[in-house]
Structures are given as C-alpha cells and as structure tokens.
Amino acid sequence: MRIAELSRTAGVPVPTIKYYLREGLLPAGELTSPNQARYGEVHERRLRLVRAMVEVGGMTIAAVRDVLAALDDPDKSLHKSMGTVEVAIAPVVPPTDDEVAQRQGEEFVARQGWQHRPNSPAFKALVRVLATAREIGHPEFAEELDEYARVGLTLGELDVAYVLRMPSKDEALEGVVVRSFLSDAAVAAVRRLARRELSARHSGEEDPGSRSDGADLEPGLEC
Amino acid sequence: MRIAELSRTAGVPVPTIKYYLREGLLPAGELTSPNQARYGEVHERRLRLVRAMVEVGGMTIAAVRDVLAALDDPDKSLHKSMGTVEVAIAPVVPPTDDEVAQRQGEEFVARQGWQHRPNSPAFKALVRVLATAREIGHPEFAEELDEYARVGLTLGELDVAYVLRMPSKDEALEGVVVRSFLSDAAVAAVRRLARRELSARHSGEEDPGSRSDGADLEPGLEC
DNA sequence: CAGAAATGGATAGTGCTACTGTCCGACAGT
DNA sequence: ACTGTCGGACAGTAGCACTATCCATTTCTG
C-alpha cells in the first residue's frame, strides 16, 4: 500500500499522514527504493488509533506520542503502561495552593482506602476541582466526592474486566489505551443524555429536541 | 473597585480582564467618567466563574460566552437553560456516517426509555464514540453502554438534587452551570484515581508513586 | 498643585498547536 | 517517453487565547 491508498482507506489527508510520520506517531513505511515506501495493515490500524485519540479523545499530538511509546514498549507491565497512559491523557491543570482543598482530597483518598499519590495528575486534578468549587462559592461540592468514588470504582472495574478479557498482552495493552479515552468520552456523552432526560422529567416539559423534524425550532435550539 | 484591584483579588492579569470585557464575558464596569470605570462583587464573581470554566472545564471562550448568555437570560426555564449549557459545553465532534453505530445509539436510547433526540450533541457524541470503537476494532465496547447508563443516571440524579436544593432560581441556574463542568472534571479525576487503584491491586504491584518522597524515581514516573 | 502613575479603549502582535501547501528530483505505470 | 505519483524537506496558515503598546485622560501622591 502506498501513501495515497493509506490516505483513502483511513480517510486522512496525505499531508496529515506525512505530518504524523514526521512527528513519530506512525512508523516509517518500508522503503522499496530511496524515495518509495510501502505501508501495511499495521500502519492503517495505527493511523486509525491516532485519529481516534485526537478526534474523540481530544488528545494533543504530544500526548498521543507518549501513549504510543508506552504501547510499543515491550518491557513494561500492564500496570506501568496504564500509569504512563493515565499521565499522558490527563489534562494539564494549573496547580493550586488551597490547602483546604488539598486536605479534602487527602481525606477523601484515605476514606476510600486508596494509595495516596500526591504527585499524580489525577490527584492534582481532583484538588484543583475542589479548590475551584470553593473559589466560586460552592464548597458543598466536596461532600459528594464519595458518591463519585462509587461511580469511579464501578467504571474502573469495567475497564479492568475488559482488559483482563483480552487474550494476549499486546491486545490487553491496546485495550488499556482504548479504554482510557473511549470510555471517558462515552461516560461524558451518556451522562449528558441522562442529565437532559432527568431535567426534562423533572421540569415536566416536553423536550424541544424530542421531535425528529425540528422544523419549527429556531436555529441553535434544535438540540 | 478598579481594574487593578479586580486583577489582584481574582488573580487574573489586567490585559486578560480587558480581553474578557471585549469578548463580552464580563459586563462593562460602571463608568464614573468617560474613561474611568468601577467594578463590583458581581464582576469578581463572574471573573472567577469564567476562569473556572476555562481552566478546569477546558471550555473555549466562545462556549463560555454562550453559557453566560444563557445564565443571564431571565426568561428561560431551568430546563431550557440547562439545554443551552449542555450544547455549549459539548466538545465538537466530526460527524460520522456509520449507520451501525447510529442504530446502536438509537437502540440504547430506546432501551433506556429516553427521548430520542438525534440532533443533540450528546447523542451525536455517543454515536461518534460507538463508530470509533468499531473503526479501531473494539466493537464489543457497545455492549457496556447500559452499565454506563446506570452510572450516568446516578450522576445525573446527584446533579438534579443539587440544583433543586438551591433556594433561588438564579442560584439554581448557576448551580446548573457549575455542575456541568465541575462534576465532569471531578468524575474524570476520581475515575482516573480509581482505575489506577484497581490496576495496582490487580497487578499486585506496589504503586511507584505511593511513596510521598519519590526521590529515587526517574523523572516522568513519579506519578 | 505638579508630576507620576493608573485608567479605559483601540489596535496590533505573540506563542502555540495542528495541520496544509509547495517544491523538488526520483521513480512507476502505460 | 511521458504523465502522474512518490517521499522528503520546509515554509506557510488558521485559529485560539491571550499579551503588548499606545494614547488621551483622569487620579493619586507628595
């Protein structure tokens, strides 16, 4: 397969493929002559994965590169790779100096009996959320953390079960990566649907978007 | 309060405040003379909210503007405002023409007994996730949607209960906005913590970041 | 009350990211 | 032979979220 065909089957423009090759997101094709290369299924699969991470996962090119590096490292345990992936997909959050939020986070983790890893992006993100809630005048938000923990554990168990179901280590590794961004996106989407549904029920209103035609709706409100 | 003090108390640079004023994210200050304005608590509170949406919620300036417009519209019902907010905070996803994914999404919504709103960003996002799962060779991902729905409903009920607890409609409206991005961030963070915890337990490994000092860890692995 | 500092408003510029376009000499297909 | 595509290098672009500069006023400070 040459680059044009790869572009066609994966639906990615040729210049973008060249860019990904430059950035190390795709391995170079097999050179058949100094300026002709051949690509295979591996490239196609990898290219789809990259597009999924960028488009659905909202990841940056640098994060994708880190994740793929972890995926291609044969020496790492599943657990370690998972850690690398988590670090890579974590959004960057500016740090906070709110020690109340810090304490709330620590107490939460202790209450759950979880390992306290104060430098992990996940923990920092949690503290940042708690600090923000306080800053904008919603300190009671912290009280619901334990409910969130139950939800997080449920989702986490699904992820682990999924990965353990994989027959080979390589597939399990890819499963880790895929779950890390796909299920985040899925949860976010389902959650928005559920929120809207509950809101509609509660307000007793017919939902404006429930009619499929939407012809008589002003633009911007048809959903 | 003048702009310098607003900048100091909210921790936002003066040029950024000016930028937000230009973009309509902050109402103009009360003019005391043709080129002097005064800002109050309202501005400070709003400024903190904007920063929270941008930094923690990862929202774009345009999305923030839309959300604030909904928040400031006194004629809208809570439910309608919530809809506007949901649309604004939804990430942009390229559409898909995968009719299998489309059908999976529709069946899922029907199974849950939810309203089918095929044009909502949430539904489109869900279909996109299902399509992506199939594209990258993980079609069995769709089978877990119902578990996600349970989680989504749990979280949604928390959100609704929180909003209904608010004494006034204005506060409830702000509650909607705050919940829309804060709890997304909180779920994501808690979920990452839980995933790591479960992974550590399952692998039987000591988590490399569990020690607070981290002195002997190579950089990039201390979390 | 004079001079330094800050202000609101306008406009231009910056840094970053993720591409996208152009050019080139070398093949490949017909 | 010749038309089209190729890989590779490099420059250019679009969009976003600021950031910097300027200027004609105020406003504070000594």
Side-chain angles (χ1 to χ4, degrees), chain A residues 55 77 79 86 115 128 138 144 148 159 162 174 179 183-184 191-192 195 197 199 205 207, chain B residues 55 77 79 86 115 128 138 144 148 159 162 174 179 183-184 191-192 195 199 205 207:
Chain A
E55 285 184 12
S77 70
H79 176 59
E86 292 293 346
Q115 295 180 9
R128 188 72 230 278
H138 291 253
E144 291 174 41
Y148 285 2
D159 290 343
Y162 184 87
E174 206 201 79
R179 296 296 289 220
S183 66
D184 270 356
R191 182 158 190 239
R192 280 201 287 275
R195 190 149 50 189
E197 180 70 24
S199 160
E205 281 182 40
D207 201 292
Chain B
E55 287 183 12
S77 70
H79 176 60
E86 292 291 349
Q115 294 179 8
R128 189 72 230 279
H138 290 254
E144 292 175 41
Y148 285 2
D159 290 344
Y162 184 87
E174 207 201 79
R179 294 297 288 222
S183 64
D184 271 355
R191 186 161 188 234
R192 279 201 287 275
R195 190 149 47 189
S199 160
E205 282 184 39
D207 200 294

Side-chain angles (χ1 to χ4, degrees), chain A residues 75-86:
Chain A
D75 297 333
K76 270 186 174 169
S77 70
L78 254 183
H79 176 59
K80 274 204 177 125
S81 301
M82 203 150 167
T84 307
V85 171
E86 292 293 346

Side-chain angles (χ1 to χ4, degrees), chain A residues 10-28:
Chain A
V12 179
V14 171
T16 304
I17 296 177
K18 286 183 174 183
Y19 170 62
Y20 289 165
L21 286 166
R22 271 201 310 281
E23 293 297 317
L25 305 190
L26 278 177

Side-chain angles (χ1 to χ4, degrees), chain B residues 59-92:
Chain B
M59 294 168 59
T60 66
I61 299 299
V64 170
R65 189 174 28 229
D66 291 349
V67 168
L68 293 177
L71 207 154
D72 290 336
D73 186 343
D75 296 333
K76 271 188 175 167
S77 70
L78 254 183
H79 176 60
K80 276 206 178 122
S81 302
M82 203 149 166
T84 308
V85 170
E86 292 291 349
V87 172
I89 66 166
V92 218

Side-chain angles (χ1 to χ4, degrees), chain A residues 98-101 104 129-139, chain B residues 182:
Chain A
D98 185 333
E99 55 305 286
V100 175
Q104 285 175 331
V129 168
L130 292 169
T132 303
R134 282 163 38 76
E135 273 167 26
I136 61 180
H138 291 253
Chain B
L182 255 201

Side-chain angles (χ1 to χ4, degrees), chain B residues 141-154:
Chain B
F141 184 77
E143 291 162 22
E144 292 175 41
L145 270 192
D146 292 315
E147 316 250 22
Y148 285 2
R150 274 221 308 283
V151 164
L153 280 173
T154 305

